[in-house]
Amino acid sequence: MSVLQTSAEWIDLHAHVEGLARFGVDPTKFGVGQGVGVLVDAGSAPPAELGKRLSLVQGTTPTTVLAWANICAEGIAGDGCATHDISGAAARIALKQTPGRVVGIKLQASATRLAGRGLAALEIAKSVAVEFGVPLMVHVGNGPPTMREVAEALRTGDIVTHFAHGKPAGALDGEGVHRSLRAARERGVLFDIGHGAGSFSFEVMEALMRHGFPPDIISTDLHRASLEAPVRSLADCMSKMLGLEMAENEVIAAVTDTPRKALKLPEATRTTSYAVQNEEWIATDSYGGTRTFSRRFRPRPIERKGN
């Protein structure tokens, strides 16, 4: 029989929440219902609307819902931000209006989202984050800019999300983990899985683990296109890392202490109860790769005692 254990409430640092995202997930079902006490929406909504939207969403769920303010004034718009406002004015409104609930700045730095404006947007996003004393979380994908260029530009406490993607010029080179990522980690830059439908490769993560470069933070990038497969839940993302031989206590820290400190959140007042079951299951990455693992996190719902 599996032993029931308890930790501080789990935090999903990178998700997309219904009411903030047009493609978001139910914050109760995928929050407290799965042992996740805090869901942080990753820049989905137009930032100038975050104060109002967060209040409306929080009134419907016992899960604590926080948000990153997208440097793009339209949030995650359907056609990207290639021609949209990236001045940071809207993000400043969000940070001024909703301190503590808007936790930092989000930038989708890939060419897919920003065409050729990625590095310029990165500098703007950094300046706003510095102005308000908050972290910057940067989505990396198809360059330019590459993950390596982004890592070189980030500060202590900033976060690279999707760092185990399988796209070109990523975390690995012919000698192992690229020097830009190692230098960034030495400066205190944090590396987040941000699994999602297109950003987590078993082959890449296995190589990262072999080279002693595990994630600092485990998050889902949950949205409607990833919730059934390949992501399903924060618990399953955690279970994948457990299967890739990340120590159980380090997996728990990656969804509790590390994201809490990164976001400068107060001490947790709720707990997550869970068991690690001996259970064979087939896990899938974002590229259709599969692995068979023998252990799995099984959380219990968090008791609904407020927000």
Side-chain angles (χ1 to χ4, degrees), residues 10 218 234-243 251-252 255 297:
W10 294 353
I218 298 171
L234 182 58
D236 274 8
C237 292
M238 295 162 64
S239 300
K240 290 175 184 180
M241 292 313 306
L242 191 67
V251 172
I252 292 297
V255 299
F297 282 94

Side-chain angles (χ1 to χ4, degrees), residues 12 15-34 36 39 41 57 60-63 65 222-224 227 232 304:
D12 191 345
H16 297 281
V17 179
E18 195 172 68
L20 299 175
R22 54 189 167 77
F23 45 83
V25 299
D26 183 303
T28 300
K29 179 178 179 181
F30 294 94
V32 294
Q34 295 186 344
V36 180
L39 282 177
D41 182 90
V57 170
T60 69
T61 181
T63 304
V65 179
L222 262 177
H223 48 77
R224 289 178 193 167
L227 63 87
R232 296 185 184 277
R304 304 184 182 191

Side-chain angles (χ1 to χ4, degrees), residues 11 215-219 246 249-259:
I11 299 168
D216 298 294
I217 297 168
I218 298 171
S219 72
M246 188 172 179
N249 66 317
E250 293 177 355
V251 172
I252 292 297
V255 299
T256 55
D257 293 346
T258 303

